[in-house]
Amino acid sequence: MAHWLYKSEPASWSWEAQKRAGEKGTEWTGVRNYLARNNMRAMQLGDKGFFYHSNEGLEIVGIVEVCALSHPDSTAKDDPRWDCVDIRAVRDMPKPVSLKDIKANPKLSQMALVTSMRLSVQPVTEEEYLEVCRMGELDNPPV
């Protein structure tokens, strides 16, 4: 299983909104970056990821999982270049993990959130995933 990080501005789509989407989840639409799109194309059902509040909060607030594989993005009109996956909320992060704390942790110095700040859908290594879960006081993180 791979791990990912999804960035969202809380004013547009918050963690609370993601949780309200329920078990069915929701399309992760609007990504218009080829690398982020390719990351979504590589995802498998059940892959876990972090839900990150960007611009406001700047923190990881929850865990999501891929519940539908890459498919055409419904917001892309008739442009076949853009795909999305569906994700659903799995768990709250007991203690949100701030970008400041991530940057201060030497174990996370190579994390894409630190090195590729603007990328909206990013890979997360197994070690990074477990370290962030530890920082967020998440016992037995979903894998």
Side-chain angles (χ1 to χ4, degrees), residues 112-129:
L113 186 60
V114 173
T115 63
S116 303
M117 283 294 299
R118 300 199 67 192
L119 191 60
S120 62
V121 179
Q122 312 174 351
V124 174
T125 69
E126 177 79 13
E127 295 78 17
E128 292 164 348
Y129 178 77

Side-chain angles (χ1 to χ4, degrees), residues 6-21:
Y6 305 82
K7 287 183 173 183
S8 184
E9 295 180 21
S12 299
W13 187 256
S14 68
W15 174 239
E16 292 304 316
Q18 184 66 48
K19 291 192 299 185
R20 283 192 301 273

Side-chain angles (χ1 to χ4, degrees), residues 23-132:
E23 187 68 21
K24 182 181 178 212
T26 187
E27 288 184 321
W28 196 255
T29 60
V31 174
R32 300 296 182 267
N33 172 286
Y34 288 107
L35 183 53
R37 181 215 52 199
N38 291 345
N39 286 337
M40 289 191 292
R41 286 182 175 176
M43 292 176 185
Q44 299 297 312
L45 289 176
D47 280 0
K48 303 297 185 287
F50 294 126
F51 193 99
Y52 178 82
H53 277 167
S54 64
N55 290 347
E56 295 172 41
L58 301 177
E59 59 190 2
I60 293 171
V61 294
I63 306 284
V64 294
E65 77 177 348
V66 175
C67 59
L69 294 176
S70 179
H71 56 86
D73 182 332
S74 65
T75 66
K77 306 206 185 318
D78 293 325
D79 189 341
R81 292 177 296 169
W82 306 115
D83 290 359
C84 66
V85 294
D86 291 13
I87 61 171
R88 67 175 153 237
V90 174
R91 275 188 79 176
D92 292 320
M93 187 64 73
K95 176 185 167 195
V97 181
S98 72
L99 178 60
K100 181 180 175 183
D101 290 341
I102 289 169
K103 286 182 172 183
N105 185 329
K107 292 180 181 179
L108 301 175
S109 65
Q110 297 305 307
M111 188 172 180
L113 186 60
V114 173
T115 63
S116 303
M117 283 294 299
R118 300 199 67 192
L119 191 60
S120 62
V121 179
Q122 312 174 351
V124 174
T125 69
E126 177 79 13
E127 295 78 17
E128 292 164 348
Y129 178 77
L130 293 173
E131 180 64 12
V132 170

